[in-house]
Amino acid sequence: SPPGLLLLTSFLLHMEEAHASPTRLVCDNRLIQKYIGEAKDMEKRAGQCQVLPALSCPVVLPLVDFSLQQWKSKSNETKLREILCDLALLVGATVGAQGQVTEECGARQLSQLYRHANSFLLLLQTFSQEAGPWEPGCSPRSMEQTHVTSIFLTYRQLVQGKLRFFFHDLAKDLCK
């Protein structure tokens, strides 16, 4: 799809400052640290917006907590599909919240979150092309939320948790 291609291109150009290919993203630990930092910043800035009203229509967020023991026992393909599921749900929740948040500060943070989460989604889909076609019809563990800030919290937890560990696991294979 052309818009998806455009987003991926702009993501890769945005990442050009770090000369990041998917491999580099995985092999250069500073990059994932940068994304964790950005996720924390977005969460903090969203928390500093005027009190954001509760969403009248709840959004569905993935539950991204995980047991490291269980995580280590999964194949990289399974981990990737799980992260793609979580990200797809998170992007959907962000879009759902964007339609309800009119306050400028909150709307700005949500659109930034959308760009980041969607770029990861597109980037990881390029990894998964090799793992076979990805079906968005997956159903991760999830819960409904009416607090906008919980979307930012979920994103930060996903980047700090599953994504960071996934990149770490991939690095063992890719970064000889």
Side-chain angles (χ1 to χ4, degrees), residues 89-133:
L89 201 56
L90 188 69
V91 166
T94 308
V95 170
Q98 278 178 310
Q100 299 179 61
V101 174
T102 51
E103 190 266 322
E104 191 192 342
C105 173
R108 199 171 47 242
Q109 293 312 313
L110 278 168
S111 81
Q112 190 184 7
L113 177 68
Y114 172 79
R115 285 195 306 274
H116 281 251
N118 204 43
S119 320
F120 265 130
L121 186 60
L122 291 167
L123 183 76
L124 290 171
Q125 282 173 339
T126 63
F127 275 121
S128 77
Q129 313 283 269
E130 297 137 37

Side-chain angles (χ1 to χ4, degrees), residues 11-171:
F11 176 67
L12 294 172
L13 288 173
H14 161 71
M15 294 186 53
E16 195 45 45
E17 68 203 33
H19 313 296
S21 63
T23 311
R24 168 155 169 133
L25 178 61
V26 169
C27 295
D28 186 345
N29 191 34
R30 290 170 310 186
L31 275 172
I32 191 68
Q33 294 306 328
K34 176 180 173 235
Y35 291 115
I36 291 170
E38 286 173 349
K40 287 178 177 172
D41 286 348
M42 281 190 288
E43 185 182 15
K44 195 173 99 190
R45 283 198 300 271
Q48 289 167 343
C49 292
Q50 298 161 8
V51 176
L52 293 165
L55 299 170
S56 50
C57 180
V59 293
V60 178
L61 287 173
L63 294 170
V64 293
D65 55 311
F66 66 102
S67 127
L68 197 53
Q69 215 46 50
Q70 280 182 318
W71 184 253
K72 285 180 170 172
S73 69
K74 295 177 180 180
S75 73
N76 279 353
E77 190 176 324
T78 304
K79 292 172 188 172
L80 177 60
R81 287 179 190 277
E82 204 173 296
I83 293 169
L84 282 169
C85 276
D86 291 341
L87 275 169
L89 201 56
L90 188 69
V91 166
T94 308
V95 170
Q98 278 178 310
Q100 299 179 61
V101 174
T102 51
E103 190 266 322
E104 191 192 342
C105 173
R108 199 171 47 242
Q109 293 312 313
L110 278 168
S111 81
Q112 190 184 7
L113 177 68
Y114 172 79
R115 285 195 306 274
H116 281 251
N118 204 43
S119 320
F120 265 130
L121 186 60
L122 291 167
L123 183 76
L124 290 171
Q125 282 173 339
T126 63
F127 275 121
S128 77
Q129 313 283 269
E130 297 137 37
W134 174 67
E135 298 306 323
C138 55
S139 51
R141 294 177 312 124
S142 61
M143 63 188 241
E144 290 196 342
Q145 271 292 359
T146 55
H147 297 290
V148 176
T149 47
S150 53
I151 302 171
F152 293 91
L153 172 69
T154 301
Y155 177 70
R156 177 180 57 77
Q157 289 173 329
L158 182 60
V159 175
Q160 249 180 328
K162 289 180 181 180
L163 260 171
R164 184 169 56 108
F165 283 107
F166 177 63
F167 286 157
H168 180 73
D169 294 336
L170 282 181

